Amino acid sequence: MKVSAEEGDTKELIEKLNTYTKTNLKSDAFKKYKDVNHVNIRSLKSIIISKLTEMYNLEISYNFECDEVINKIPPNINEIDLVRIIGITCDNAIEESRELIRKGEDAQIEIMIYSTEETLEYEIQNKKRNLAISTKKIQQKGFSTKKEHSGLGLATIRKITETYENMSITYDISNDYFDFYLVMDREV
């Protein structure tokens, strides 16, 4: 395949890759990365692929949706802050899903990234245990619904978002799902 690529014979290369894929790779392996190709910011794509791979390997049912191409984030948003927010929220959803699975219950995670001219939006929903949770308490440093956890994740997110005028978060907690919704305006 390398020789075909070096010689510019892309047709032969594609045929060899297709043959290899059909015989050696499970089709489910490709489904786990659906829509990731629309994310063109390396750090965001990397954290998303990492977390989707973790969900896949843990056999957590999930869906990732990104219908629009994401080429940039709002200019005043630090890329590392956004990666941290995505990482923390995915880790929380994965940890809660593991608890559900451990108790023999179904777990589900839904992730969406959406971009318009005006905003960049990120949403993650996960099925949760039947616990009464206060949206105010979950943002406090030290609060956690998990044993032996520091409770810093959502407090860290709150601290990050407080530094941006154009970033807002909404939490919604229903009986079955926890929903984290982040909106970043492109202009301040």
Side-chain angles (χ1 to χ4, degrees), residues 65 82 85-86 88-90 92-93 110-116 118-126 135 138-139 154 157-158 161 166-173 177-185:
E65 184 177 321
L82 185 54
I85 290 170
I86 291 171
I88 289 167
T89 57
C90 284
N92 285 349
E110 301 284 335
I111 304 171
M112 181 272 307
I113 298 179
Y114 183 72
S115 179
T116 68
E118 296 83 29
T119 64
L120 178 63
E121 301 170 26
Y122 165 73
E123 182 174 26
I124 182 166
Q125 292 181 339
N126 61 277
T135 57
I138 62 173
Q139 298 176 67
L154 294 179
I157 290 174
R158 183 179 47 77
T161 58
N166 63 324
M167 189 182 278
S168 65
I169 293 177
T170 306
Y171 297 97
D172 184 41
I173 301 171
Y177 281 90
F178 176 84
D179 184 78
F180 174 93
Y181 183 65
L182 171 68
V183 176
M184 294 158 281
D185 296 323

Side-chain angles (χ1 to χ4, degrees), residues 59-73:
E59 298 181 356
I60 297 170
S61 179
Y62 70 89
N63 182 48
F64 174 76
E65 184 177 321
C66 181
D67 293 335
E68 302 292 323
V69 173
I70 310 290
N71 288 319
K72 58 185 176 179
I73 62 174

Side-chain angles (χ1 to χ4, degrees), residues 112-175:
M112 181 272 307
I113 298 179
Y114 183 72
S115 179
T116 68
E117 292 288 324
E118 296 83 29
T119 64
L120 178 63
E121 301 170 26
Y122 165 73
E123 182 174 26
I124 182 166
Q125 292 181 339
N126 61 277
K127 206 164 181 192
K128 68 172 195 64
R129 291 171 286 165
N130 192 10
L131 300 172
I133 303 171
S134 160
T135 57
K136 193 171 188 173
K137 276 189 178 179
I138 62 173
Q139 298 176 67
Q140 293 174 355
K141 185 176 179 178
F143 178 82
S144 179
T145 60
K146 300 167 215 85
K147 293 178 183 174
E148 300 176 27
H149 276 263
S150 60
L152 296 176
L154 294 179
T156 299
I157 290 174
R158 183 179 47 77
K159 190 174 178 179
I160 290 170
T161 58
E162 287 174 350
T163 64
Y164 295 102
E165 292 177 35
N166 63 324
M167 189 182 278
S168 65
I169 293 177
T170 306
Y171 297 97
D172 184 41
I173 301 171
S174 69
N175 289 337

Side-chain angles (χ1 to χ4, degrees), residues 27-53:
S27 63
D28 286 350
F30 292 107
K31 290 179 188 174
K32 70 181 173 182
Y33 298 121
K34 181 181 95 51
D35 284 355
V36 172
N37 62 328
H38 292 140
V39 180
N40 292 329
I41 300 165
R42 283 185 176 176
S43 60
L44 296 183
K45 183 179 274 192
S46 177
I47 190 73
I48 292 166
I49 288 172
S50 170
K51 297 305 174 185
L52 295 181
T53 300

